[in-house]
Amino acid sequence: MAHTIPPTSPDYDTTRIVERPDGFYWHDEKESDKVFGPFPTLLEAIQDMEYNAESDYEPGETLEQAEEEIGVSGWIDPETGQPGEDSFRLEN
């Protein structure tokens, strides 16, 4: 028995990516009429579209640097293999 997919609301996703001979472009119909591009690849257009300037993410940031920023300990408990914050033992 075939399942029918319900139609998507027009307000669900207002961003569109268009391929033209000189590259990929994207625009958000809800935000403005401005078109962004050209981008050489679809992936680069998607990354630019999803970029958020208010985010703390820095391209090229390592996991260790991100953990250090939020205060995660670099020490791993040798017995449990858990981060230092997760392993607490009282020694007798």
Side-chain angles (χ1 to χ4, degrees):
M1 177 176 186
H3 296 285
T4 57
I5 299 173
T8 305
S9 164
D11 298 332
Y12 176 71
D13 187 10
T14 59
T15 56
R16 302 285 182 258
I17 296 179
V18 180
E19 183 179 13
R20 296 183 180 153
D22 61 338
F24 292 88
Y25 293 80
W26 72 270
H27 72 284
D28 189 341
E29 298 167 350
K30 197 175 202 177
E31 294 295 321
S32 71
D33 293 331
K34 187 173 180 183
V35 177
F36 300 90
F39 297 94
T41 66
L42 176 60
L43 179 60
E44 289 180 53
I46 292 170
Q47 288 173 336
D48 187 74
M49 183 176 64
E50 293 177 343
Y51 175 75
N52 181 356
E54 297 170 5
S55 171
D56 291 340
Y57 172 73
E58 298 172 16
E61 183 176 42
T62 66
L63 176 61
E64 290 79 17
Q65 291 169 332
E67 288 176 342
E68 185 177 321
E69 284 183 17
I70 61 172
V72 174
S73 173
W75 181 78
I76 302 295
D77 186 330
E79 290 181 14
T80 65
Q82 297 293 319
E85 291 85 7
D86 293 343
S87 62
F88 178 77
R89 293 188 317 266
L90 291 175
E91 301 280 335
N92 289 342

